[in-house]
Amino acid sequence: MAQALLTVENLSKSYSDKLLFQDLNFSISEGQKIALVAHNGVGKSTLLNILAGIDIADEGKLTVKENLKIAYLRQDPKLDKNLTVEEVLFHLDNLYVKIINDYHRQLRSYEKDPSLQNQTKLDESINMMDQKQAWDYDSRMTEVLEKFEIKNLKQPISELSGGQIKKVALASVIIDEADLIILDEPTNHLDIKTIEWLEEHISKSKLSLLIVTHDRYFLDEVCDIIIEIDQQRSFTYQGNYSYFLQKKAEREALDVMEIEKAKNLYRKELDWMRRQPKARTT
């Protein structure tokens, strides 16, 4: 059985006098790819911020696996404008990235000066790449940069457009390979070809994912569990987006039936109350 990465119990959140959600209950386990679905303005991004540790709930309990590493792509990512693209992407707390960075650094040094000292350092770096099996990771990292068309690694973040910043932030999240990836509208600013690559990459990987997106086809292709927030409550559906639509329709139809039953009951009670006292006694 897959281990739970985080568990939400009776979570509630309000802003001013507006209740966003109440008594939410769900969990995210290893390998699950979950979509969070709700109408605009009901607190999807707020919930993601709570799960990522940026915001706090008013009530309820959030239990997170010890040492859980979460990579979070916000809908409007904020990157340090004093950094370069390279610094944002590769100055991560990731062992593979550190090893790969050292390898490329030693390789550049050796190409400039093929001395015995630089050769020794390069050999040591290559051995470390072998030991940690970092070559495949390096290839995947290079592929991500190519797919997102990130070419000038020395470019300052301050020179990037909003769309370019979103791409750099998304690439950073994918490269980091955290225990849990949280994505808020990741396909914004991406062309169809890049979106299709992202679909395939996520589908084939073993990563654990929680995603919010308006791209319904993306959800259908990638996610196997749908969590819906409706009327401040949470509903979990064990299937893709098409399955969710089917089951949601069934749930709403059942709700309509229950409402009609309640109306009929109220009509009977109202009719009973309107009777004369003598008639009621019978």
Side-chain angles (χ1 to χ4, degrees), residues 60-259:
K61 183 179 180 181
L62 173 62
T63 304
V64 180
K65 177 186 172 184
E66 187 176 1
N67 299 321
L68 180 71
K69 184 176 181 181
I70 298 177
Y72 179 28
L73 174 74
R74 303 179 73 162
Q75 187 171 349
D76 183 21
K78 307 295 183 184
L79 302 182
D80 190 339
K81 294 185 177 181
N82 296 316
L83 300 179
T84 64
V85 171
E86 184 177 42
E87 288 171 330
V88 170
L89 289 174
F90 303 135
H91 287 194
L92 300 167
D93 185 20
N94 184 307
L95 176 63
Y96 289 104
V97 172
K98 291 178 180 179
I99 293 173
I100 292 168
N101 281 343
D102 180 67
Y103 163 71
H104 286 292
R105 185 166 52 250
Q106 301 304 337
L107 181 60
R108 288 193 297 268
S109 297
Y110 177 76
E111 289 173 345
K112 291 179 180 178
D113 177 19
S115 64
L116 179 60
Q117 182 181 7
N118 285 342
Q119 175 69 63
T120 300
K121 290 182 179 180
L122 178 59
D123 289 342
E124 291 174 352
S125 181
I126 291 174
N127 288 334
M128 183 59 69
M129 290 281 288
D130 290 336
Q131 290 178 21
K132 300 299 181 180
Q133 298 180 338
W135 298 107
D136 288 342
Y137 190 95
D138 187 30
S139 298
R140 292 197 303 273
M141 190 168 65
T142 301
E143 182 184 15
V144 170
L145 297 182
E146 289 178 352
K147 295 299 181 181
F148 288 103
E149 298 180 335
I150 299 173
K151 300 174 183 178
N152 185 2
L153 298 181
K154 301 298 182 182
Q155 187 175 12
I157 296 298
S158 59
E159 296 180 0
L160 300 182
S161 67
Q164 290 172 322
I165 288 176
K166 187 67 173 281
K167 285 185 177 182
V168 170
L170 178 55
S172 176
V173 166
I174 295 174
I175 290 171
D176 200 19
E177 287 198 340
D179 301 317
L180 173 62
I181 293 178
I182 300 177
L183 304 178
D184 194 352
E185 298 293 352
T187 60
N188 289 359
H189 306 292
L190 299 183
D191 56 44
I192 297 299
K193 186 176 180 181
T194 307
I195 292 174
E196 289 176 346
W197 174 85
L198 185 61
E199 288 175 1
E200 183 179 5
H201 175 80
I202 292 176
S203 298
K204 288 183 177 180
S205 67
K206 296 180 181 180
L207 59 82
S208 305
L209 172 73
L210 177 63
I211 184 173
V212 169
T213 178
H214 286 90
D215 189 334
R216 303 318 193 201
Y217 183 81
F218 189 94
L219 293 185
D220 209 45
E221 291 295 306
V222 169
C223 298
D224 48 22
I225 297 175
I226 307 293
I227 296 175
E228 180 194 22
I229 300 177
D230 186 28
Q231 300 178 15
Q232 290 88 41
R233 297 178 297 158
S234 60
F235 300 88
T236 300
Y237 303 83
Q238 301 289 333
N240 63 7
Y241 189 71
S242 296
Y243 176 84
F244 154 72
L245 292 177
Q246 174 188 343
K247 292 302 178 181
K248 177 180 173 64
E250 292 175 4
R251 178 174 65 81
E252 290 182 341
L254 185 61
D255 288 343
V256 170
M257 290 176 59
E258 292 298 325
I259 291 172

